[in-house]
Amino acid sequence: MASSESATVPADRKRPRSVGRFLRSQMRNIAPFLTLICLTGFFAAASPSFATLDNFGNILTQVSVTGIIAVGLTFVILCAEIDLSIASIANVTGIAVAYFTLQDSYVNIANVPMPGWAAVMLALALCALLGVVNAFGLTVIGIPSFIMTLAMMQIAAGISALLVRGQIAYKVPDVITTLGSGSIGGIPCIVIVAALMLLGGHLVLTYTRFGRYVYMVGGNREAAEYSGLNVKLILGSAMVIAAVCSGIGGMLGVAHFGSAQQNEFDTYLLDSIAAVVVGGTSLFGGRGGIGNTIVGLFVLGVLNNGLDHVNIDSFLKILIRGLILLAALVINVYAQRLRERSVD
Amino acid sequence: MIPQRAPILELRGITKAFGGVEALRGVDFALFAGEIHGLVGENGAGKSTLMKIIAGVHAEFSGRSILDGKDTRFRSTRDAHAAGIAMVHQELSVAPDLSVAENVFLGTQPTNRFGLVQWRRMAREAGEQLAKFGIDVDPMSRLGDLPIGMQQLIEIARVLFSGARIVILDEPTSALSPPEVERLFATLRRLRDEGCAIVFISHFIEDILRVSDTVTVFRNGRKVAETEAAATSKAALIEAMIGKGSEALGETYTDDIMLPPPTDRPAVLKADELTLARSLQDVSFEARGGEVLGIYGFMGCGQLELARILFGKIKPDRGTLIVGGEPKSFASTAAARRAGVAFVPESRRAMLFHQEPVYKNISISVLGRISALLLKPARERSIAARQVEQLQIRPAAVELELGMLSGGNQQKVALAKWLSYPPRLLVLCEPTRGMDVGAKNDVVNIVRDLRAKGLAVIVLSTEPETVLSLADRIIVLKRGAVVREFAHEMVSKDRLLQAA
């Protein structure tokens, strides 16, 4: 019969090879972790104020909004798609929830006050709707996600602009204020929310049928379709999940920063994509997960926070962040190649 | 005959393992200028691996590689190219969106002194080269618009005319119609007479015997025989390949066989005047439970499109599908699956997840049945293990990554994913393409088993043997139209070929 070869391989020769193969195939998970350890070690040595419990709390708080947004983005990237509208959707959702809340009289916005729960519901409906539009463009019309979400980025920014008209709103519903800037037993609520959402994302991806489908669609879309999966439904769901996560991140972010205004979340697009990819989730889809995203979040968080502690030229910081991101991308692609070779 | 000269390429003691599985064990191989060297062996016997080593695809191996008397080690296919070695892989690798001429000159477009591409010259020269091969197409037409068989011929032509001294062809004839095979062989013979060394890998032993000077047989990663083609026979080669007497397996289908009387069971699927632009014209047929319907035709006859219509991947321009008595217009492949249709495409790559373990590949199609929301990995593994056992998939390890399996075993996995909950209608495209004799027999037995259980099976193939070995009733497609139906009558390879 076809291949009974494996049976005749001496056991002693099998082992070291399979360990090497295992390490190579796990490259994408190991490399980000090593990066994190190196960065932490470096900053801990460079600055006495870095490796403190307080500062660890700072880092957690600093990555929370990115973390919430990155949960949904992880689904999208696992499907081998991209969503460039996440930051804009976060922004417009944050603005919308403020728009539907009674602002102080000095705030010059023609807002529509509503009960808190209704404001939150409307804001969530808005981000879900924008996600549905993304999903529709991608799956029904067939616009590549890169372009579709680029357009959505503008659309969401446009809605934001129309709502606030260059002004700044401050009030959001109490529940959002609590979740965004309150704390329970010394732990900021926003950290708890981020942790719960990351956990939820992980459980969905790992233990549900939908999660498996996400990996399969990302791994080989054609095969998924020929296995009778509803690929469009899965891709569309991922886009909606990304939009809703962004919306939640946006609402809590507005509460956390204390204000809602245009362009407030612009840096979060790059940060979220960076967190997912630096963590080792494959841009080609099908590999990675929330665990990787968490490591990526910490890499970014430690980097951003640490650079403040070592008192470096703030303009150089931007360059360094870019270089680290590039290095992570190189590792991402290289890990994919190593893996393919080890499977070959 | 084997020329008594120094070989152009010699390999000594080649050993190569993939993740602990040895694909080649101490193989010696010599290739001479001016010969066509046929390679035969079952799937996973190591012939493709050896050729990939020669072509620089696999850079890591142990043993010596001697080119023109000098020790050589290629680190990439580029190195091999530079040394005049070119390979046509089993899977088509062309750029469908580029023109025919651009594909012929891929990477070597003629340019003027400003570095701009000389389009007219390129088109003219491409046309001339292809004409030598008997291919008459507009060099500026888009390659992807041509039939697959034609695309494959053009790819082969590109490699043959690239000036390579050593040309390796891996299963070049499987997608070609008989006249196209003739043209290919004529070109191979001419290149041989011009001094090229050609390696020809095929499962079609008649083809090997017709065109080769020397034949080498592989079995389980070892070279087990090397002989002059004139001094051997199909039966002898098969015996060397599988290592046992092979009279029973040497079925050639050249004699008439009798198709059974039609079953009186109701039709599971009725296709009525299916029409698709440029592919299908008023195709009507029925598939009944407990019957295998064979659909035969040359490459490009429209059978691939037909199969995709049946599985909801393509929507027909006109015509109706009736499944289980109800008219259906599948909005997606998921809808077709829900209606009880299962589909195995002609390419394994389009069906399987190479980075995922075997069990996930098998369970993917039945997850909806075994779990509502949460996955049940233990259940998945046990379902997969049962299929692995029943279909004799080797190695029998459900945790193994699919990419580690040999081609024939991957094909069985592609079948296995549909069998845990048998569908009403199973559509199989080229179910035995590229498989060895043993694996082919396994597939035949699996299909017969399903038929006995009352399934309707449709087998679409460009290989007459595949259809003849499986079908109870055969329809022949020609240029998108049904031209002949064989039912309860004598049929043979000749009759099929004549009808198509």
Side-chain angles (χ1 to χ4, degrees):
Chain A
M1 281 287 315
S3 63
S4 50
E5 288 126 275
S6 60
T8 50
V9 177
D12 56 326
R13 294 177 65 179
K14 224 171 178 173
R15 207 185 171 92
R17 285 184 198 181
S18 64
V19 167
R21 210 183 78 79
F22 176 78
L23 283 179
R24 271 192 299 173
S25 70
Q26 291 299 311
M27 180 74 175
R28 95 167 36 261
N29 297 326
I30 297 166
F33 208 71
L34 286 179
T35 313
L36 178 60
I37 292 171
C38 291
L39 282 176
T40 311
F42 171 77
F43 287 122
S47 157
S49 58
F50 177 79
T52 62
L53 202 57
D54 268 2
N55 194 42
F56 180 66
N58 286 340
I59 292 175
L60 285 182
T61 313
Q62 283 160 3
V63 299
S64 287
V65 174
T66 315
I68 294 169
I69 298 175
V71 172
L73 186 66
T74 306
F75 282 75
V76 173
I77 291 184
L78 280 175
C79 285
E81 296 290 347
I82 190 74
D83 190 342
L84 301 178
S85 62
I86 39 174
S88 284
I89 291 180
N91 204 358
V92 75
T93 313
I95 286 175
V97 81
Y99 184 82
F100 293 123
T101 308
L102 182 65
Q103 299 293 324
D104 291 327
S105 57
Y106 61 84
V107 174
N108 196 9
I109 292 177
N111 68 334
V112 183
M114 286 197 182
W117 60 267
V120 173
M121 282 299 154
L122 278 173
L124 279 176
L126 174 67
C127 62
L129 176 71
L130 297 180
V132 169
V133 174
N134 271 339
F136 185 83
L138 171 66
T139 61
V140 180
I141 304 178
I143 308 169
S145 58
F146 184 85
I147 302 297
M148 179 64 222
T149 57
L150 201 59
M152 179 54 69
M153 183 165 124
Q154 282 297 305
I155 292 169
I159 300 173
S160 305
L162 282 173
L163 289 179
V164 291
R165 295 187 170 271
Q167 303 297 310
I168 301 174
Y170 299 95
K171 282 257 162 62
V172 290
D174 291 342
V175 56
I176 298 296
T177 311
T178 312
L179 289 178
S181 54
S183 63
I184 297 173
I187 302 170
C189 289
I190 197 165
V191 172
I192 296 171
V193 173
L196 287 177
M197 287 189 59
L198 286 162
L199 176 68
H202 175 71
L203 295 178
V204 168
L205 280 174
T206 315
Y207 296 106
T208 70
R209 192 150 63 91
F210 172 71
R212 171 73 61 77
Y213 288 165
V214 165
Y215 279 99
M216 296 311 233
V217 166
N220 185 346
R221 188 168 300 178
E222 198 183 12
E225 193 164 12
Y226 286 141
S227 301
L229 304 195
N230 197 336
V231 172
K232 289 179 174 179
L233 186 65
I234 295 154
L235 290 177
S237 307
M239 298 310 284
V240 175
I241 290 173
V244 171
C245 288
S246 303
I248 297 172
M251 286 192 281
L252 300 198
V254 162
H256 187 67
F257 308 139
S259 70
Q261 54 188 304
Q262 188 72 27
N263 299 342
E264 196 172 13
F265 287 82
D266 286 2
T267 57
Y268 283 84
L269 172 60
L270 194 63
D271 274 6
S272 311
I273 295 177
V276 175
V277 176
V278 167
T281 294
S282 169
L283 282 167
F284 306 103
R287 289 278 142 192
I290 295 290
N292 296 75
T293 299
I294 293 174
V295 175
L297 282 169
F298 276 112
V299 169
L300 282 189
V302 165
L303 188 62
N304 285 341
N305 177 286
L307 287 172
D308 287 339
H309 282 264
V310 294
N311 199 12
I312 208 167
D313 179 354
S314 64
F315 297 104
L316 186 59
K317 259 173 77 170
I318 303 173
L319 177 63
I320 291 177
R321 275 166 42 104
L323 290 175
I324 299 267
L325 179 60
L326 176 64
L329 288 173
V330 170
I331 291 170
N332 190 305
V333 173
Y334 190 60
Q336 180 80 15
R337 210 170 296 158
L338 269 182
R339 192 187 162 76
E340 275 164 10
R341 209 171 296 159
S342 71
V343 168
D344 194 15
Chain B
M1 60 166 241
I2 302 174
Q4 297 301 313
R5 292 175 278 147
I8 183 168
L9 175 76
E10 196 179 354
L11 298 168
R12 286 195 201 147
I14 301 293
T15 296
K16 166 81 185 167
F18 296 107
V21 180
E22 286 198 323
L24 287 174
R25 281 177 278 186
V27 171
D28 298 329
F29 182 77
L31 190 62
F32 294 86
E35 74 164 345
I36 300 177
H37 198 131
L39 291 192
V40 295
E42 294 187 279
N43 290 318
K47 33 187 211 308
S48 292
T49 307
L50 186 69
M51 291 306 114
K52 283 180 178 172
I53 285 174
I54 295 179
V57 177
H58 297 315
E60 288 172 35
F61 59 92
S62 56
R64 287 176 66 195
S65 158
I66 303 155
L67 182 70
D68 295 324
K70 281 186 292 257
D71 265 298
T72 316
R73 197 97 180 176
F74 298 134
R75 270 170 306 171
S76 67
T77 51
R78 267 181 89 95
D79 288 356
H81 255 284
I85 300 175
M87 179 163 180
V88 180
H89 294 273
Q90 206 169 347
E91 294 88 10
L92 210 55
S93 57
V94 292
D97 287 317
L98 298 185
S99 67
V100 170
E102 284 171 286
N103 271 285
V104 170
F105 280 99
L106 214 57
T108 57
Q109 292 110 316
T111 52
N112 63 16
R113 62 207 152 92
F114 302 114
L116 300 174
V117 173
Q118 295 173 301
W119 284 92
R120 239 175 290 165
R121 184 177 149 206
M122 187 163 87
R124 195 186 60 237
E125 288 182 7
E128 285 167 9
Q129 287 197 358
L130 294 175
K132 279 194 220 164
F133 211 162
I135 302 175
D136 178 28
V137 293
D138 174 10
M140 296 314 287
S141 58
R142 184 177 165 273
L143 188 78
D145 291 338
L146 301 175
I148 298 285
M150 186 64 87
Q151 292 184 32
Q152 179 153 14
L153 270 183
I154 288 170
E155 184 183 3
I156 293 171
R158 166 168 65 104
V159 171
L160 293 183
F161 290 117
S162 65
R165 299 180 295 153
I166 299 177
V167 177
I168 302 162
L169 302 168
D170 193 354
E171 289 289 349
T173 58
S174 54
L176 300 182
S177 65
E180 289 168 335
V181 170
E182 285 314 312
R183 266 184 264 165
L184 174 66
F185 285 179
T187 310
L188 293 183
R189 293 195 183 101
R190 203 176 61 237
L191 285 167
R192 171 193 61 193
D193 296 340
E194 287 168 8
C196 270
I198 296 169
V199 180
F200 185 90
I201 304 177
S202 182
H203 283 107
F204 295 98
I205 293 172
E206 295 96 337
D207 287 352
I208 292 271
L209 287 173
R210 271 179 52 211
V211 77
S212 312
D213 303 303
T214 314
V215 183
T216 294
V217 183
F218 282 84
R219 186 169 76 225
N220 274 345
R222 289 209 170 85
K223 183 167 108 177
V224 290
E226 179 168 353
T227 161
E228 284 180 45
T232 184
S233 68
K234 184 175 177 183
L237 286 179
I238 290 182
E239 190 172 331
M241 264 170 69
I242 61 183
K244 59 188 174 199
S246 61
E247 290 75 19
L249 299 165
E251 184 69 88
T252 56
Y253 299 103
T254 47
D255 301 330
D256 281 354
I257 54 170
M258 187 66 190
L259 294 172
T263 153
D264 51 0
R265 288 183 184 233
V268 170
L269 172 120
K270 252 178 100 163
D272 200 19
E273 301 194 338
L274 293 176
T275 299
L276 184 70
R278 303 186 62 181
S279 302
L280 294 171
Q281 191 63 47
D282 295 326
V283 173
S284 305
F285 59 88
E286 283 183 1
R288 302 192 190 102
E291 183 193 66
V292 181
L293 172 66
I295 299 183
Y296 170 75
F298 290 148
M299 210 66 204
C301 69
Q303 46 175 233
L304 298 184
E305 291 79 5
L306 178 60
R308 278 156 179 73
I309 288 174
L310 299 181
F311 195 55
K313 168 72 177 162
I314 305 181
K315 274 205 170 83
D317 299 336
R318 207 153 47 71
T320 46
L321 274 183
I322 298 166
V323 182
E326 286 171 60
K328 296 273 184 190
S329 170
F330 296 134
S332 65
T333 57
R337 185 188 63 163
R338 275 195 299 274
V341 183
F343 176 63
V344 180
E346 64 287 347
S347 139
R348 289 190 285 269
R349 194 163 292 193
M351 189 64 194
L352 297 167
F353 304 88
H354 287 255
Q355 295 192 345
E356 300 287 351
V358 169
Y359 84 89
K360 288 190 187 175
N361 271 283
I362 293 178
S363 67
I364 182 74
S365 303
V366 300
L367 281 183
R369 295 200 184 235
I370 61 174
S371 59
L373 176 69
L374 296 181
L375 293 171
K376 295 178 181 137
R379 184 84 198 280
E380 284 178 56
R381 286 189 179 86
S382 72
I383 284 176
R386 205 170 60 228
Q387 294 299 332
V388 163
E389 168 71 32
Q390 278 179 7
L391 304 192
Q392 300 185 357
I393 292 166
R394 295 288 173 270
V398 296
E399 299 291 341
L400 202 65
E401 226 164 77
L402 184 93
M404 310 285 291
L405 266 56
S406 74
N409 282 300
Q410 290 185 10
Q411 182 77 30
K412 286 190 195 171
V413 173
L415 258 175
K417 66 202 294 180
W418 294 116
L419 302 184
S420 326
Y421 290 92
R424 283 200 278 187
L425 171 69
L426 180 60
V427 180
L428 302 172
C429 289
E430 303 289 359
T432 57
R433 176 187 284 177
M435 288 183 127
D436 60 71
V437 182
K440 266 184 188 169
N441 277 351
D442 288 350
V443 169
V444 170
N445 289 333
I446 293 165
V447 171
R448 295 216 169 119
D449 228 40
L450 295 172
R451 178 184 62 183
K453 285 179 187 157
L455 255 74
V457 182
I458 297 181
V459 173
L460 302 99
S461 180
T462 53
E463 297 171 16
E465 290 88 347
T466 306
V467 175
L468 289 168
S469 63
L470 286 164
D472 302 318
R473 194 157 59 84
I474 300 171
I475 61 176
V476 180
L477 273 186
K478 187 176 186 179
R479 296 204 184 91
V482 177
V483 290
R484 176 85 158 85
E485 175 168 352
F486 293 92
H488 197 205
E489 61 187 290
M490 302 300 273
V491 64
S492 67
K493 197 170 165 179
D494 285 354
R495 290 179 198 223
L496 273 188
L497 284 168
Q498 275 162 20

